[in-house]
Amino acid sequence: MSQTFVAKNLQQVREKVDKACKRAGRDRNSVLLICVTKTKPVSMLQDAYDAGERAFGENRVQEIVDKVPQLPDDIHWHMIGHLQKNKVKFLMDRAVMIHSVDNEALAKTISKEAVKAGRVMPVLIEVNVAGEETKFGVSPEETEALIRAIAPLPGISIRGLMTIAPYTEDAESNRPYFKRLRELSVDIKNKSIDNVTMDELSMGMTGDYEVAIEEGATMIRVGTGIFGERQYPV
Ligand SMILES: *Cc1c(COP(=O)(O)O)cnc(C)c1O
């Protein structure tokens, strides 16, 4: 059987991940590849699944809701996009983690829905390290205060930080942002705040995941590099 487009791309991505881990002296198992499947048809997700991938990322709740029943149930769905409070409840029996918490009101809603659902939702704090006006995320300066405000909430567990670096043709230009996110996470970890572990760093996309791995990413979010260009802007 000939390899699918997705399987071929995945092979290349995995090789680059392996090499980046070697360069950085890191264990390959310390980096989770999240296949970003937004806008892509279920058939392509199935190809990634058949090639062995189990972690998928979406940025719209509706797309997760639509896709979950059409695919195997051992997929781990990561919510990586901006999230509206009224959509949070649909994630409780579908998502393994929410990467995009950047305000207290959203955290409170996740807490309330998680308690109602009888679960604990792992979350990451989205930080706008580059200070881009168009991006969501809390500023580095406000990150600790947000974490301290939401850490006591029941039903959520703060596992680390996430960032979306600027779009660039030159991955190296994002290195300082990845470094900054890592330093921020170490600073916060050292404060030993209850209910905050800071073991996850979700950073790096198709254009810059190798640099992100070198700077300590534990989760990389790769869409285009696996599934090809998206057909419409999201
Ligand atoms: C779309 C998206 C990605 C993947 O981007 P690619 O450049 O296609 O790899 C990663 N993270 C988030 C939050 C996204 O919305």
Side-chain angles (χ1 to χ4, degrees), residues 36 38 59 80 162 164 205-206 221-224 230:
V36 176
K38 66 191 187 202
N59 69 341
I80 61 175
M162 176 273 219
I164 303 175
M205 316 190 348
T206 295
R221 310 177 308 266
V222 181
T224 310
R230 285 175 290 275

Side-chain angles (χ1 to χ4, degrees), residues 18 27 33 43 50 62 73-74 104 120 122 150 157 162 174 176 180 185 187-188 193 218 234:
D18 284 351
D27 181 349
L33 171 60
S43 61
D50 292 340
Q62 189 58 50
D73 60 14
D74 60 343
E104 201 173 331
V120 172
I150 67 179
S157 161
M162 176 273 219
N174 279 339
R180 180 86 204 275
S185 93
D187 284 350
I188 294 171
I193 304 167
T218 65
V234 288

Side-chain angles (χ1 to χ4, degrees), residues 12 19 23 42 50 55 60 63 66 75 78 83 88-89 94 112 123 125 137 141 157-158 177 190 197 227:
Q12 287 178 5
K19 284 187 184 145
R23 278 197 302 278
V42 165
D50 292 340
R60 289 176 54 235
E63 236 177 299
D66 291 343
I75 290 171
H78 292 256
L83 181 54
V88 166
K89 57 178 177 288
R94 296 180 174 89
K112 191 184 76 191
V123 303
I125 306 302
E141 295 74 23
S157 161
I158 303 169
Y177 301 125
N190 287 341
T197 55
F227 301 103

